[in-house]
Amino acid sequence: MEHLKYPIGKPEIPSEILTEHIENWIQVIEDFPDRLQKLVSNLNQDQLDTPYRDEGWTIRQVVHHCADSHHNSYTRFKWTLTEDKPVIKAYYEERWAELPDSKNGPIELSLNSLKTLHAKWVYFLKLLKPEELEQYFIHPDGNEKVTLKENIGIYAWHCNHHFAHIENLVKRMEW
């Protein structure tokens, strides 16, 4: 069950984040919308409504979750650069995934959103200066300090994590 929940493991962000890490992570974020589009483009409605694991989200919910989560992350970057050590607003992603747009909405809405958002996000990330990457926000769960460079790594992981959920299901089901 743990392998189905975390198919690529939990995020492992190095204590010393190098420019190479950041460049690689930004590339993952840049490539994600196209990779995801290709992965899900031939799936039918029944396949989209198949959970990737027992008690897990459907493919449709995962796609919509990625759009929701990545929009939130982009906003957190902006808050961090325009406010002094902001405490971010957390959200109940499991509740968002149960809303009608996530459970029933066409995935094209979120795929289009991801494509546009990621283009803007990557453009923004590539312009950040080293001192800006050191700025941080406070996550209210445990008052955890998260630097922008760490958050780039977290969201590169997030892209690969949810991609693997879908890809593994497609392989298991031989779709």
Side-chain angles (χ1 to χ4, degrees), residues 10-17 25 147 149-155 157:
K10 294 186 180 181
E12 294 182 15
I13 307 302
S15 57
E16 183 181 353
I17 298 173
W25 293 335
T147 65
K149 64 184 179 182
E150 290 169 323
N151 209 40
I152 295 170
I154 290 165
Y155 272 84
W157 171 86

Side-chain angles (χ1 to χ4, degrees), residues 36-37 40-45 48-49 59-64 67 101-102 104-114:
L36 183 61
Q37 172 86 44
V40 300
S41 64
N42 293 320
L43 299 178
N44 64 40
Q45 297 304 308
L48 291 173
D49 292 327
I59 293 173
R60 182 184 312 276
Q61 287 172 298
V62 171
V63 172
H64 290 307
D101 64 323
S102 294
N104 306 309
I107 62 167
E108 291 75 16
L109 298 172
S110 284
L111 292 171
N112 290 338
S113 178
L114 283 164

Side-chain angles (χ1 to χ4, degrees), residues 7 9 12 14 30 63 68 84 105 139-140:
E12 294 182 15
E30 184 171 13
V63 172
D68 291 340
D84 185 31
H139 198 290

Side-chain angles (χ1 to χ4, degrees), residues 14 21-22 25 27 30 36 40 43 51 54-55 59 65 70 81 93 104 108 115 117 122 132 141 149 152 159 166:
H21 292 123
I22 294 167
W25 293 335
Q27 189 65 54
E30 184 171 13
L36 183 61
V40 300
L43 299 178
D54 288 340
E55 300 180 27
I59 293 173
H65 163 72
H70 295 191
L81 292 173
E93 61 185 38
N104 306 309
E108 291 75 16
K115 184 173 185 168
L117 173 66
V122 166
E132 291 171 321
D141 291 341
K149 64 184 179 182
I152 295 170
C159 291
I166 298 169

Side-chain angles (χ1 to χ4, degrees), residues 120-135:
K120 187 174 180 184
W121 195 8
V122 166
Y123 180 81
F124 172 74
L125 292 175
K126 288 180 177 180
L127 295 174
L128 294 179
K129 299 176 183 119
E131 60 272 16
E132 291 171 321
L133 292 168
E134 296 294 336
Q135 291 187 41

